[in-house]
Amino acid sequence: MLRQEMHEFVVNTRGRGFYEITEPVAAWLRGLHARNGLLTLHLRHTSASLLIQENADPEVRRDLERFFSRLAPDGDALFQHTAEGEDDMPAHIRTALTTVNVSIPVADSCLALGTWQGIYVWEHRHDPHGRRVAAHFIGE
Amino acid sequence: MLRQEMHEFVVNTRGRGFYEITEPVAAWLRGLHARNGLLTLHLRHTSASLLIQENADPEVRRDLERFFSRLAPDGDALFQHTAEGEDDMPAHIRTALTTVNVSIPVADSCLALGTWQGIYVWEHRHDPHGRRVAAHFIGE
Amino acid sequence: MLRQEMHEFVVNTRGRGFYEITEPVAAWLRGLHARNGLLTLHLRHTSASLLIQENADPEVRRDLERFFSRLAPDGDALFQHTAEGEDDMPAHIRTALTTVNVSIPVADSCLALGTWQGIYVWEHRHDPHGRRVAAHFIGE
């Protein structure tokens, strides 16, 4: 019998960087006794991202930061939307280049993530923020 | 009782730029009396994107244009696929760097978008196009 | 009557490049007699992508390769995570810049892809890999 469940996660960030949410999401699904279905997460912001990336060597995430900082540098003279600070427009750019939605099947009571995949909120602003992630599960 | 509904939106663009579709999508959901569920939109093209971005200061969208125009300039000598014009391959690049799919929960009869999030068709070609967006709702 | 179905596709890549999976996915849906619903694909890796792009002129895909090779070159001195080779960190970057999830409506027994849209596994590593794609269908 198919059913759906919804939740909102709040992730309190401490500035630019990666905040893994794989375990709280998996714990929510375990609490629902979700066996098979589809999980969707939607980040309700325009200056942070949801990213599925390697959860092993943390140097991967530091290199992601280095790359995106070079690609869309804080304070780039190209940008006109600067009222909220030098990191505001680069944050919107990073969000546009990545994503705010992920949909992942749930099979045999587990998220169908690969061995090395973790789900991260990627904060692009330097200041701390409370980031809200809407979650939806449909299945059995 | 779970159900699903489908629709196709057509967005007539007037050349490169952002065309907000948040309200027509919300109106469709209201017409369905959708209360809780999952909305998915899929843009059926390879030279335009669906983008969830800030709906307040329009300078954000102009800066997005500036950034992507610098990153993948029209007429870049790197590109071999030029038969359809100087903006054709940059349009494919922009689409690859962003997305053509979004999935957003619907909670208490509202899309779970953040305060500053709008849904846009981002046209990457200079000529006007009729862009089709397939919509799917599942829920109650 | 709504139902869901799940599957895992394995795509054996022969190194960096595009591997179209549109037809095996469509064949799976035909085998299910799927009429209307939502298909979700999730690639279970962090150094390859799922990409919906033009399936006509193969030069488009070669230009995508050229562009991403220029944007995140193999062996870029910026990267510290190099233990697995010069193409490892560029592969993670390409994955972050694109996506590992797609959700596409199914309408009247067909994927709601546009005329020129194909679904590709985009391998970013030079060595061959077995890439797993989790598939989920919900609908009728």
Side-chain angles (χ1 to χ4, degrees):
Chain A
M1 190 65 173
L2 293 173
R3 60 175 167 131
Q4 65 177 354
E5 306 286 347
M6 303 181 76
H7 186 60
E8 187 172 88
F9 295 91
V10 178
V11 179
N12 291 303
T13 71
R14 300 172 301 281
R16 190 171 280 181
F18 291 88
Y19 300 86
E20 187 164 10
I21 60 171
T22 318
E23 176 47 31
V25 170
W28 177 60
L29 292 170
R30 283 195 301 272
L32 299 177
H33 303 287
R35 287 184 299 160
N36 294 291
L38 183 69
L39 169 80
T40 298
L41 301 174
H42 172 73
L43 179 75
R44 306 178 66 186
H45 305 275
T46 63
S47 56
S49 303
L50 283 182
L51 194 75
I52 296 174
Q53 258 297 338
E54 181 174 316
N55 58 6
D57 183 359
E59 199 69 47
V60 170
R61 298 191 292 282
R62 286 193 286 267
D63 275 349
L64 283 165
E65 274 293 342
R66 288 177 189 113
F67 179 83
F68 280 80
S69 292
R70 183 176 71 181
L71 187 62
D74 290 348
D76 191 317
L78 183 75
F79 300 132
Q80 300 296 312
H81 172 80
T82 56
E84 298 167 52
E86 293 202 333
D87 62 333
D88 186 31
M89 200 58 223
H92 291 304
I93 298 286
R94 287 158 167 246
T95 301
L97 287 169
T98 53
T99 192
V100 293
N101 286 269
V102 298
S103 292
I104 307 166
V106 175
D108 298 328
S109 305
C110 290
L111 277 168
L113 290 170
T115 311
W116 310 111
Q117 286 184 319
I119 311 170
Y120 295 86
V121 170
W122 191 1
E123 175 63 70
H124 300 310
R125 302 301 306 270
H126 289 295
D127 285 339
H129 283 79
R131 300 303 196 177
R132 293 174 294 146
V133 179
H136 178 270
F137 171 76
I138 191 164
E140 58 189 8
Chain B
M1 191 64 173
L2 293 173
R3 61 177 167 131
Q4 65 177 354
E5 307 285 348
M6 303 181 77
H7 186 61
E8 187 172 89
F9 295 90
V10 179
V11 179
N12 291 304
T13 70
R14 299 172 302 280
R16 189 171 281 181
F18 291 87
Y19 300 85
E20 188 164 10
I21 60 171
T22 318
E23 177 46 32
V25 170
W28 177 61
L29 292 169
R30 283 195 301 272
L32 299 177
H33 304 287
R35 286 184 300 160
N36 293 291
L38 184 69
L39 168 80
T40 299
L41 301 174
H42 172 73
L43 180 76
R44 306 177 66 185
H45 305 275
T46 63
S47 56
S49 304
L50 283 182
L51 194 75
I52 296 174
Q53 259 296 340
E54 181 174 317
N55 58 6
D57 183 0
E59 199 70 48
V60 171
R61 298 191 294 281
R62 287 193 285 267
D63 275 349
L64 282 165
E65 274 293 342
R66 288 177 189 114
F67 179 84
F68 279 80
S69 293
R70 183 176 71 182
L71 187 62
D74 289 348
D76 191 318
L78 182 74
F79 300 132
Q80 300 296 313
H81 173 80
T82 56
E84 297 168 51
E86 294 202 333
D87 62 333
D88 185 32
M89 199 59 223
H92 291 303
I93 298 285
R94 287 158 167 244
T95 301
L97 288 169
T98 54
T99 192
V100 293
N101 285 269
V102 298
S103 292
I104 307 167
V106 176
D108 299 328
S109 305
C110 289
L111 276 168
L113 290 170
T115 311
W116 310 111
Q117 286 184 319
I119 310 170
Y120 295 87
V121 170
W122 190 1
E123 174 63 71
H124 300 310
R125 303 299 308 270
H126 289 295
D127 284 340
H129 283 80
R131 299 302 195 177
R132 292 173 297 147
V133 179
H136 178 271
F137 171 77
I138 190 164
E140 58 189 8
Chain C
M1 190 65 172
L2 293 173
R3 61 177 167 128
Q4 65 178 353
E5 307 285 347
M6 303 181 76
H7 187 60
E8 186 172 88
F9 295 90
V10 178
V11 180
N12 290 304
T13 70
R14 300 172 302 281
R16 189 171 280 180
F18 291 87
Y19 300 85
E20 188 164 11
I21 61 171
T22 318
E23 177 47 31
V25 170
W28 177 61
L29 292 169
R30 284 194 301 272
L32 299 177
H33 304 287
R35 286 184 300 161
N36 294 291
L38 183 68
L39 168 80
T40 298
L41 301 174
H42 172 73
L43 179 75
R44 306 178 66 186
H45 304 275
T46 63
S47 56
S49 304
L50 283 182
L51 194 75
I52 296 174
Q53 259 297 340
E54 180 173 320
N55 58 6
D57 183 359
E59 198 70 47
V60 170
R61 297 191 295 281
R62 287 192 287 267
D63 275 349
L64 282 165
E65 274 292 344
R66 287 177 190 114
F67 179 83
F68 279 80
S69 292
R70 183 176 71 181
L71 186 61
D74 290 347
D76 191 318
L78 182 74
F79 301 132
Q80 300 296 313
H81 173 80
T82 56
E84 297 167 53
E86 293 203 331
D87 61 333
D88 185 31
M89 199 59 223
H92 291 303
I93 298 285
R94 287 159 166 245
T95 301
L97 287 170
T98 53
T99 192
V100 292
N101 286 268
V102 298
S103 291
I104 306 166
V106 175
D108 299 328
S109 305
C110 290
L111 277 168
L113 291 169
T115 310
W116 310 110
Q117 286 184 319
I119 311 170
Y120 294 87
V121 169
W122 190 1
E123 175 63 71
H124 300 310
R125 302 301 306 270
H126 289 295
D127 284 339
H129 284 80
R131 299 302 195 177
R132 293 173 296 146
V133 179
H136 178 271
F137 171 77
I138 191 164
E140 58 188 10

